[in-house]
Amino acid sequence: MSTVPAAASCAVRWSGVRGPMSALVTPGCAVTKPSASWIIAVYRHQVDACAEAGPALLASGATPHAALRQWIGLFVDFLVTKHGLAAALHSDDAGFDALHAYFIDRLVPVCSELLTAAADAGEIDSGIEAYELMRGVGNLCIGADSDPRYDARRLVGLLVTGLRRPR
């Protein structure tokens, strides 16, 4: 797991990183403008936490579909709160590309494992690709942090419910 710099314990006050980002850090000290390495460390830390949650949820969940639903909820939280980070990183396309590859490499296999477990349990149809599902969830999360009338969690919940096989 990556280590988050000590500055991650401070509240972020920077217009390039929007409000939800502050949920990652403890109020108390101010960072006027986080460095690229700080942003990358926070992002990688959150990717790792999401990746590590998948197997734990699968082991402790009532069903594989329930574990998938919980993990997708964590993924939605990650996507919505990291919107400001993505905007900040787009200024460095090479850095953003590397971080996006890390995100894909860490999270797609976890989602795939959850989908396979749910399919093996007969809860969902097989053949649903993790990348495809994650991309759909990501698209449903676009704009969720800036439109109070839009509830991405509700729509993603409908999507995950729709994966279930009829009984």
Side-chain angles (χ1 to χ4, degrees):
M1 176 179 273
S2 61
T3 302
V4 179
S9 65
C10 299
V12 174
R13 293 181 187 17
W14 178 48
S15 62
V17 179
R18 298 215 286 262
M21 166 79 177
S22 63
L24 295 176
V25 293
T26 305
C29 52
V31 175
T32 56
K33 184 173 182 180
S35 67
S37 63
W38 184 86
I39 292 170
I40 289 168
V42 169
Y43 188 95
R44 288 175 65 101
H45 174 75
Q46 294 299 311
V47 167
D48 291 342
C50 194
E52 292 167 6
L57 290 169
L58 192 54
S60 66
T63 67
H65 185 266
L68 175 65
R69 175 181 291 283
Q70 288 178 290
W71 187 82
I72 291 290
L74 295 173
F75 182 60
V76 168
D77 291 342
F78 171 81
L79 293 174
V80 171
T81 61
K82 301 312 170 283
H83 181 77
L85 284 176
L89 289 172
H90 271 293
S91 62
D92 175 14
D93 287 337
F96 180 77
D97 289 344
L99 204 51
H100 183 71
Y102 182 76
F103 167 89
I104 296 297
D105 291 346
R106 288 286 283 145
L107 297 182
V108 170
V110 174
C111 186
S112 182
E113 178 183 1
L114 291 161
L115 287 168
T116 298
D120 289 350
E123 296 178 310
I124 66 172
D125 288 328
S126 62
I128 299 166
E129 296 294 326
Y131 179 82
E132 182 178 38
L133 176 61
M134 292 173 64
R135 180 90 189 243
V137 168
N139 285 337
L140 288 173
C141 291
I142 294 172
D145 63 332
S146 62
D147 186 350
R149 299 177 305 156
Y150 179 65
D151 186 355
R153 281 186 143 285
R154 189 173 81 76
L155 287 177
V156 170
L158 291 170
L159 172 64
V160 175
T161 298
L163 294 174
R164 290 202 67 125
R165 289 182 124 168
R167 296 192 182 240

